[in-house]
Amino acid sequence: MTALTPDPTPDPQNDVPGRIMAREMAEQPAVLRRILEEGAPGIRQVAREIAARKPRFVLLTARGTSDNAALYAKYLLEIRLGLPCGLTSMSTTTAYGARPDLTDVLVVTVSQSGGSPDLVASTRAAREAGAITLAVTNNPGSPLAGVSEYHVDIMAGPEKALPATKTYTASLLALYLFVEGLRGGDGAPAKVLPDLAEQLLARQDEVRALAARYRFAERMVITSRGYGYPTAKEAALKLMETSYIPALSYSGADLLHGPLAMVDNVSPVIAVVTDGKGGEALQPVLDRLRGRGADLFVIGPRSQVEQASAGFVLPTEGVAEEVQPILEIIPLQLLAHEITIARGQDPDAPRALAKVTETH
């Protein structure tokens, strides 16, 4: 029998900039379905066990994209459960050796890889200080999962592009289901997300036209309020790490306290307008931006997009405000991808970055 040899013809797709990021963005509807269908029962079980221990406070620990997912969880925990939350400063433990009393405190560490040494060290120290520890990762066999008492697998599958996309939306959904489990909910509002995510991804040509508008931007400002604020921060991170455009993210309230002075009619302002109380709280900011003649790009309901210089209409009707961030980020991921390619760069491999960042 003749042995089969590999086809020496190179795959032309291998040289297409951004092909890995594009593929992983396209996987998001399937990942969301997998979590809802396969992961949700295990997440609810973890939530029930932790709820029975009645944590008095929550500390959220993360870096980078996962830090933005943790901020989303902070909004959920404080709004949906009325549970006080804080974002940890890991150096207090890893660099200064502080050992606070964490008895009955829930420490949630969010990490795609679960491999960063400071995350592992701070979680280990928290458990030794009496905390209930939960790791939310894309790697059940990671060191972080190993040192944590509980683990939630976000089930996103391998992510090879340096910019995190599917692991971000998977983390958001897993955290939403966890918080709903803590309060005895079933997470039913999330069931619409996979189909809506598919619809958003099908509008890539629309995003490509917007990218052509903003490809020469020298800086961007991204703003939101409430549940949309983590989206603004994550969108800024994606733009900076792929296209290298300086992108500044602000809560709408913070934008009015000084940074508004730098807004002009040249640098674009992207406003993430969640359909709900967060969007209502952002209205005075939008009015001020329009009054300054800002190039205002709105991601949100049609009524808001129609009042802006440009925008992308989100399907928000009938979608609970607390799950809209899982949809809001998708067109912004696409925008970062398309702007980067339009500027002649490869979003799959941003300079100076590694997939696992080993901070200490």
Side-chain angles (χ1 to χ4, degrees):
M1 181 179 293
T2 304
L4 295 176
T5 57
D7 184 351
T9 305
D11 180 357
Q13 291 298 313
N14 286 340
D15 296 325
V16 176
R19 67 183 181 85
I20 302 174
M21 184 179 176
R23 183 181 67 228
E24 291 173 352
M25 287 189 293
E27 291 174 15
Q28 289 177 106
V31 171
L32 297 176
R33 286 193 184 94
R34 187 183 309 135
I35 295 168
L36 290 168
E37 294 170 5
E38 301 174 26
I43 295 172
R44 280 195 293 269
Q45 179 60 33
V46 168
R48 279 194 295 267
E49 291 182 23
I50 292 176
R53 296 173 66 173
K54 295 182 170 50
R56 59 185 172 89
F57 192 87
V58 181
L59 286 172
L60 295 147
T61 305
R63 296 279 192 204
T65 285
S66 293
D67 198 35
N68 300 326
L71 180 59
Y72 168 71
K74 184 176 188 292
Y75 276 91
L76 287 171
L77 288 158
E78 291 183 343
I79 295 170
R80 306 286 286 172
L81 271 73
L83 198 57
C85 297
L87 299 174
T88 61
S89 299
M90 277 175 279
S91 62
T92 62
T93 299
T94 60
Y96 290 92
R99 292 295 183 267
D101 180 3
L102 298 179
T103 306
D104 298 328
V105 172
L106 171 60
V107 172
V108 180
T109 306
V110 186
S111 171
Q112 297 146 37
S113 68
S116 185
D118 58 350
L119 295 172
V120 175
S122 63
T123 301
R124 181 186 293 111
R127 189 169 181 182
E128 291 171 353
I132 307 162
T133 52
L134 167 66
V136 179
T137 81
N138 196 38
N139 184 1
S142 65
L144 178 60
V147 300
S148 300
E149 187 175 357
Y150 297 97
H151 179 257
V152 163
D153 182 0
I154 66 171
M155 306 180 72
E159 188 173 58
K160 296 182 179 179
L162 284 174
T165 54
K166 64 178 181 174
T167 53
Y168 179 69
T169 49
S171 295
L172 295 189
L173 180 54
L175 287 163
Y176 168 74
L177 293 173
F178 171 69
V179 174
E180 284 299 288
L182 288 177
R183 63 192 295 269
D186 60 3
K191 292 180 180 178
V192 301
L193 295 175
D195 289 345
L196 293 177
E198 280 187 342
Q199 294 173 25
L200 293 175
L201 288 162
R203 295 164 62 186
Q204 187 166 358
D205 288 346
E206 190 178 333
V207 177
R208 191 171 292 124
L210 290 166
R213 176 186 178 101
Y214 297 116
R215 63 179 291 193
F216 296 115
E218 294 184 1
R219 72 166 186 239
M220 290 188 178
V221 173
I222 309 176
T223 189
S224 189
R225 290 205 68 181
Y227 286 115
Y229 181 42
T231 306
K233 290 176 68 66
E234 174 62 11
L237 177 60
K238 283 291 154 287
L239 284 162
M240 287 189 288
E241 70 183 355
T242 56
S243 69
Y244 318 138
I245 295 174
L248 307 173
S249 59
Y250 295 99
S251 157
D254 288 334
L255 185 63
L256 295 183
H257 285 268
L260 185 68
M262 71 177 173
V263 173
D264 53 29
N265 61 357
V266 177
S267 299
V269 178
I270 299 176
V272 180
V273 186
T274 305
D275 192 3
K277 292 183 179 179
E280 293 170 10
L282 192 63
Q283 287 309 305
V285 183
L286 299 177
D287 293 341
R288 290 285 297 277
L289 290 168
R290 284 189 287 263
R292 290 186 62 82
D295 180 359
L296 181 60
F297 170 29
V298 166
I299 300 276
R302 183 174 298 279
S303 60
Q304 297 292 337
V305 172
E306 289 173 347
Q307 300 178 58
S309 308
F312 186 97
V313 176
L314 280 179
T316 58
E317 185 175 354
V319 181
E321 181 180 4
E322 59 268 20
V323 299
Q324 288 178 35
I326 300 170
L327 301 175
E328 289 166 350
I329 192 58
I330 292 175
L332 291 164
Q333 292 171 343
L334 292 170
L335 183 68
H337 179 272
E338 294 297 332
I339 286 177
T340 304
I341 291 173
R343 289 164 68 96
Q345 292 145 199
D346 185 356
D348 284 342
R351 63 193 181 207
L353 295 183
K355 191 62 183 171
V356 179
T357 303
E358 295 195 356
T359 47
H360 294 271

